[in-house]
């Protein structure tokens, strides 16, 4: 079994690794032939899945167990919703376009800030009130949910947990069909194994 923080940390480390590579991404004509689009697609898939499962299960847990959980979750979800807008710009754009590179730079900055907020502000507070069994149960729930999570940002889908669990499942099904039909899923590497 994997606890929630270990599972989420694995996602965070993967994304931070992508950020390191993407920080120095070529622009202009060089971006079109560099493979940047594949790396950004991998980032979009990873982040879309990660944010969906957090909004379905992690942030409701924060709301339920912490006195100021609503405030903490609202702040984090606002960050995630802004990130989805940037991810959608990347999904719709192409390497070499100035707007694409602007959205990528903005997402990297915002993504790092969001990860710091989660790990430094929220996690210690939640760790103080949840037992190991509860953290493992949440971790297993997140792990199962990720397998059927959307692979695209869907910025217009409300971030409400119930909506994410219903509309998110439908969106994930459509995403997976689109990914298979377009070959997009072929370019996405598998998740790193979790301990």
């Amino acid at each position: 079994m994997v606890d929630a923080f270990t599972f989420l940390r694995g996602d965070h480390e993967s994304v931070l690794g992508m950020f390191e590579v993407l920080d120095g991404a070529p622009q202009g004509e060089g971006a079109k032939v560099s493979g940047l689009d594949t790396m950004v697609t991998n980032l979009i898939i990873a982040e879309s899945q990660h944010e969906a499962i957090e909004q379905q299960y992690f942030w409701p847990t924060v709301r339920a167990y912490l006195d100021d959980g609503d405030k903490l979750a609202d702040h984090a979800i606002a960050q995630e919703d802004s990130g989805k807008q940037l991810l959608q710009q990347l999904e719709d754009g192409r390497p070499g376009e100035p707007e694409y590179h602007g959205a990528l730079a903005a997402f990297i900055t915002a993504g790092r800030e969001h990860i710091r907020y989660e790990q430094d502000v929220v996690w210690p507070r939640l760790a103080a009130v949840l037992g190991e069994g509860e953290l493992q149960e949440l971790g297993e729930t997140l792990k199962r949910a990720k397998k059927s999570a959307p692979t695209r940002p869907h910025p217009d889908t409300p971030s409400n947990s119930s909506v994410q669990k219903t509309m998110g499942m439908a969106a994930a099904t459509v995403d997976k069909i689109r990914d298979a039909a377009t070959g997009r899923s072929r370019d996405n590497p598998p998740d790193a194994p979790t301990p």
Side-chain angles (χ1 to χ4, degrees), residues 5-164:
F5 300 133
T6 300
F7 180 78
L8 294 173
R9 185 175 288 111
D11 276 4
H12 288 174
E13 288 173 358
S14 175
V15 166
L16 289 169
M18 288 186 222
F19 288 170
E20 288 299 316
V21 172
L22 292 169
D23 258 341
Q27 297 189 22
E29 286 302 310
K32 295 176 186 176
V33 296
S34 68
L36 177 63
D37 55 342
T38 299
M39 182 65 141
V40 170
T41 295
N42 292 335
L43 176 66
I44 291 167
I45 292 169
E47 280 294 294
S48 296
Q49 291 175 324
H50 180 81
E51 303 310 345
I53 64 172
E54 281 190 337
Q55 291 180 7
Q56 290 171 4
Y57 299 102
F58 184 76
W59 297 119
T61 301
V62 169
R63 290 181 192 284
Y65 283 90
L66 296 176
D67 290 340
D68 60 347
D70 287 338
K71 178 181 169 195
L72 294 169
D74 288 347
H75 179 75
I77 289 170
Q79 290 177 321
E80 292 171 357
D81 287 347
S82 293
K84 286 182 195 179
Q85 296 291 335
L86 293 168
L87 288 174
Q88 190 62 54
Q89 288 178 34
L90 292 169
E91 180 80 9
D92 295 340
R94 297 286 164 259
E97 298 170 351
E99 301 81 13
Y100 181 92
H101 293 280
L104 180 58
F107 185 81
I108 290 170
T109 299
R112 285 181 172 137
E113 181 181 320
H114 179 65
I115 289 170
R116 273 192 303 274
Y117 176 75
E118 276 189 40
Q119 292 186 179
D120 297 346
V121 176
V122 180
W123 290 9
R125 304 270 314 282
L126 196 59
V129 298
L130 288 183
E132 187 58 34
E134 293 165 311
L135 287 171
Q136 286 184 340
E137 184 179 326
L138 179 58
E140 289 299 314
T141 298
L142 293 167
K143 185 176 171 182
R144 280 190 307 275
K146 188 171 180 183
K147 292 176 184 173
S148 59
T151 59
R152 297 171 193 265
H154 302 285
D156 297 326
T157 301
S159 300
N160 173 287
S161 169
S162 299
V163 172
Q164 284 289 322

